[in-house]
Amino acid sequence: MGTPAWFMKPRHSISAGFLVEILVFLLFCRHVYTHCKISRCNSEYLAATQDVHSPITNAAYCTALRSYSRCTRRTARTCRGNLAYHSAVYGIEDLMIQNNCSREGPTSPPWPPAPEPNKQSFESLDICDYEKSYAHKHGRPPAYRHCATFGDPHVRTFSDEFHTCRVEGSWPLLDNHYLFVQATSHPVVEGSNATAIGKLTIIFKDVKECIDQKVYQAEIDNLPAAFVDGSMNGGERPGGNSLAIHERSPGRHVEIRAAYIGTTIAVHQAGKQLSFSIWAAEEVAFSFTEEQDLQLCVGGCPPSQRISRSACCRSTADPAAEKARRLCRGKLPAEDVYFQSCVFDVVTSGDANFSLAARDAFEDAKTFQTDFRKLHIFQMDAASSPSGSPLLLLLPVAISGLQSHLYTSLFQCSL
């Protein structure tokens, strides 16, 4: 009795139906067994056998089956209970018997490992890039706000109010859904009402898909270029690199960029005091509840904690004040609130290094502020002003307005 003709052919003709069965199983199992790599084994086998069509190529077919078997063994631990996996194992065994394939013999080289999912994929970048996400939702770029505290401390709020504060101890600069920033102040000199920041704590709160919670802490003579856990970014989440620390000047200037909330923070040390500046998306800056109402960047200093900058430095006959004014004129381009603060700090502390704090704060404002008209603030001293609100003297606008008025007058005269 002869051998049936269908058995004389290489039995890899069965493989097409066999793979269809496996793929059906995968449709039902893929969501449960996300770590099982059986689908990769199936793809390798299919690619290896697509050009195997005749008995002469039986050796190549056996090689493909042995490679298929090897692949299933490697993924066995993660595929326990997976129906597609077990179907493949039994199917391979059956096909090797039918085609007289030995278990020992050559195998195909394994495919290179599949690349890891790109953590910086477009989706991740879009979710963790505030500017892109906002522009996509609203069709325009977001609005931004600037806040800074430096020197005595002096506070420039998100609303461009400017206060000089008597805030010894710890006070929150920011406390919203995304950020918590606390400044700890100490007297500049014993017996003085003037204080300066000696410690800053910045907490970047956990944001799903973007960053783990991160804490940054700076103290006098300790301005680290890393978070307290030693890392320099937002962690292992897909958007971890959307939070990063950059050391701009060792021991003097650190910048923290939080792209996932459209925020940049600068921390400086000048003399024996720290300063803080932030450029934050408006939506982020004001994302807080009624219970989070005590924030120096939002409301400024409480009225009872405000002190006058002009009280110490009003007299032109005071040599210390005049010396401070000369020093501050060399650091700052205009006699605005930064200049006033510079003079106040140098006079009350006796430390010329405090002029650097005012200069750093002004430079931060110049870097962050996209609207030059808001760079300089000229105001009456908030502690002595009835309203305590600033008067923004917009010099470019004023000059432009005067020129326009002059041209109009000349035009009317010519008529």
Side-chain angles (χ1 to χ4, degrees):
M1 183 175 178
T3 305
W6 64 268
F7 191 75
M8 296 297 293
K9 297 178 182 179
R11 292 321 192 257
H12 53 267
S13 59
I14 302 170
S15 62
F18 166 64
L19 284 175
V20 169
E21 291 180 3
I22 291 176
L23 292 174
V24 170
F25 274 117
L26 283 172
L27 289 174
F28 290 101
C29 302
R30 60 182 178 178
H31 296 296
V32 178
Y33 302 101
T34 56
H35 298 292
C36 180
K37 306 297 184 184
I38 189 61
S39 60
R40 179 175 173 82
C41 297
N42 296 338
S43 298
E44 290 182 7
Y45 169 73
L46 187 60
T49 59
Q50 62 183 349
D51 295 324
V52 179
H53 300 300
S54 67
I56 299 174
T57 57
N58 190 62
Y61 183 64
C62 288
T63 297
L65 282 173
R66 281 190 292 268
S67 300
Y68 196 4
S69 178
R70 180 187 61 188
C71 184
T72 59
R73 288 196 301 273
R74 286 179 173 176
T75 194
R77 187 175 62 83
T78 57
C79 292
R80 291 173 185 170
N82 187 307
L83 295 178
Y85 166 77
H86 290 291
S87 295
V89 170
Y90 290 124
I92 293 167
E93 184 73 20
D94 185 49
L95 288 170
M96 290 186 75
I97 292 170
Q98 291 182 40
N99 288 277
N100 296 318
C101 297
S102 66
R103 295 182 181 279
E104 302 298 327
T107 59
S108 303
W111 283 12
E116 290 294 319
N118 183 4
K119 291 185 178 180
Q120 297 299 325
S121 65
F122 175 78
E123 292 80 6
S124 295
L125 286 174
D126 200 37
I127 293 170
C128 300
D129 187 317
Y130 181 85
E131 285 193 355
K132 284 186 179 179
S133 180
Y134 188 94
H136 179 73
K137 290 178 184 175
H138 303 282
R140 57 182 173 82
Y144 286 89
R145 296 296 184 106
H146 172 53
C147 170
T149 180
F150 64 96
D152 178 35
H154 314 283
V155 177
R156 177 175 183 157
T157 72
F158 285 135
S159 302
D160 294 319
E161 294 185 348
F162 200 94
H163 301 152
T164 297
C165 312
R166 183 193 298 112
V167 286
E168 187 174 350
S170 297
W171 289 75
L173 301 177
L174 284 170
D175 183 12
N176 60 42
H177 299 332
Y178 303 97
L179 288 166
F180 177 81
V181 182
Q182 179 176 276
T184 302
S185 300
H186 55 84
V188 173
V189 292
E190 189 175 351
S192 170
N193 286 331
T195 57
I197 299 172
K199 181 178 180 180
L200 277 168
T201 301
I202 305 170
I203 299 176
F204 296 86
K205 299 179 182 180
D206 178 286
V207 174
K208 186 179 179 181
E209 298 296 335
C210 294
I211 67 152
D212 302 320
Q213 178 169 293
K214 293 290 178 175
V215 179
Y216 180 80
Q217 198 164 74
E219 298 183 71
I220 298 297
D221 297 327
N222 182 20
L223 205 65
F227 296 108
V228 294
D229 63 1
S231 65
M232 298 178 68
N233 66 9
E236 297 301 319
R237 298 188 184 182
N241 288 330
S242 64
L243 174 64
I245 293 182
H246 305 275
E247 189 174 48
R248 298 305 184 195
S249 177
R252 285 203 67 248
H253 180 195
V254 167
E255 185 176 274
I256 307 174
R257 292 187 177 178
Y260 69 101
I261 51 173
T263 296
T264 301
I265 290 173
V267 178
H268 298 269
Q269 177 173 339
K272 292 297 180 181
Q273 59 93 36
L274 301 176
S275 62
F276 167 88
S277 294
I278 185 170
W279 181 244
E282 187 174 83
E283 194 176 53
V284 172
F286 295 114
S287 63
F288 55 87
T289 64
E290 292 182 2
E291 291 75 22
Q292 297 170 301
D293 59 344
L294 182 57
Q295 303 177 60
L296 297 190
C297 274
V298 176
C301 305
S304 63
Q305 298 295 317
R306 298 176 192 173
I307 56 178
S308 170
R309 290 185 300 278
S310 59
C312 75
C313 318
R314 193 171 291 162
S315 173
T316 56
D318 183 350
E322 187 55 35
K323 182 179 178 181
R325 279 191 282 271
R326 286 198 303 272
L327 175 65
C328 294
R329 286 189 188 107
K331 303 291 182 186
L332 297 159
E335 295 192 14
D336 57 4
V337 291
Y338 294 101
F339 176 83
Q340 295 170 14
S341 301
C342 175
V343 173
F344 176 86
D345 289 346
V346 172
V347 170
T348 56
S349 69
D351 185 355
N353 284 325
F354 272 62
S355 64
L356 301 176
R359 183 199 64 187
D360 289 343
F362 175 77
E363 290 299 323
D364 284 342
K366 191 164 70 170
T367 299
F368 293 151
Q369 283 283 7
T370 54
D371 185 351
F372 180 74
R373 296 171 300 175
K374 292 185 177 181
L375 179 57
H376 296 284
I377 300 177
F378 298 84
Q379 69 175 51
M380 295 176 62
D381 196 329
S384 60
S385 171
S387 64
S389 61
L391 173 63
L392 292 176
L393 299 186
L394 310 181
L395 293 181
V397 172
I399 293 170
S400 175
L402 287 172
Q403 289 176 334
S404 176
H405 178 72
L406 179 60
Y407 294 152
T408 303
S409 299
L410 290 172
F411 178 73
Q412 289 175 340
C413 289
S414 65
L415 295 175

